Amino acid sequence: MKIETYTELETYEVGVRMGKESRAGQVYTLIGDLGVGKTVFTKGLADGLGIGEQVSSPTFTIVQIYEEGRLPFYHFDVYRIGDVEEMDEIGYEDYIYGEGVSLIEWADLIEEILPEHYTEVRIEKDLEQGFDYRRISICEY
């Protein structure tokens, strides 16, 4: 599925819709360059899950845990990991095979340990379409 958005709010709303449809054990991978809107999408997903607290990128902690919503939300940012073994150290499998919703930014860096089934969300810019234009591709694996 491909979705085109033309404003930050539209990108956010795609996340909200997906959060509302998420179920326990859902794993999303989030792929996109720096500044493409991954955090905007993630904030929408969290709001769709009923997370009321401020969501930010967990760049320096690898995972942020939010438990106040309809389902627990585990937000990973693996951009700075040096080796996939670091994921074992934080209990990665306990989260992604648990009862919450996991979102993994930069998931292409840990492809070899992704679960068999997940939903890839890829966000891309196309400046010819406008500064705030985004192409969001959603694919089930």
Side-chain angles (χ1 to χ4, degrees):
M1 170 191 309
K2 293 198 187 301
I3 301 169
E4 295 180 308
T5 65
Y6 294 89
T7 66
E8 190 173 296
L9 179 60
E10 289 178 348
T11 299
Y12 169 86
E13 288 173 345
V14 171
V16 171
R17 283 193 306 273
M18 290 180 71
K20 287 181 177 178
E21 296 170 0
S22 294
R23 61 194 187 286
Q26 179 75 53
V27 176
Y28 295 103
T29 62
L30 186 54
I31 312 294
D33 292 334
L34 289 170
V36 80
K38 293 186 302 293
T39 301
V40 170
F41 172 85
T42 301
K43 287 178 179 182
L45 185 78
D47 281 353
L49 287 168
I51 306 295
E53 65 185 282
Q54 182 68 27
V55 172
S56 60
S57 183
T59 300
F60 296 104
T61 58
I62 301 179
V63 64
Q64 290 280 24
I65 301 166
Y66 304 93
E67 297 184 300
E68 67 178 44
R70 168 175 76 76
L71 294 166
F73 178 46
Y74 310 121
H75 179 198
F76 294 86
D77 185 330
V78 299
Y79 183 73
R80 298 196 192 295
I81 70 160
D83 191 295
V84 293
E85 290 177 8
E86 288 180 52
M87 299 304 285
D88 288 335
E89 294 170 16
I90 63 165
Y92 167 76
E93 288 188 356
D94 293 336
Y95 296 116
I96 65 161
Y97 294 112
E99 293 300 311
V101 173
S102 298
L103 180 132
I104 308 164
E105 291 189 42
W106 301 99
D108 49 332
L109 299 175
I110 61 165
E111 282 181 310
E112 63 267 30
I113 62 169
L114 291 176
E116 183 177 348
H117 301 288
Y118 61 91
T119 301
E120 179 183 279
V121 178
R122 183 175 298 271
I123 305 176
E124 300 169 295
K125 291 183 187 182
D126 182 348
L127 293 177
E128 291 181 12
Q129 298 286 333
F131 182 76
D132 290 324
Y133 172 86
R134 300 295 186 265
R135 182 181 312 105
I136 303 172
S137 303
I138 302 166
C139 187
E140 300 284 334
Y141 290 96

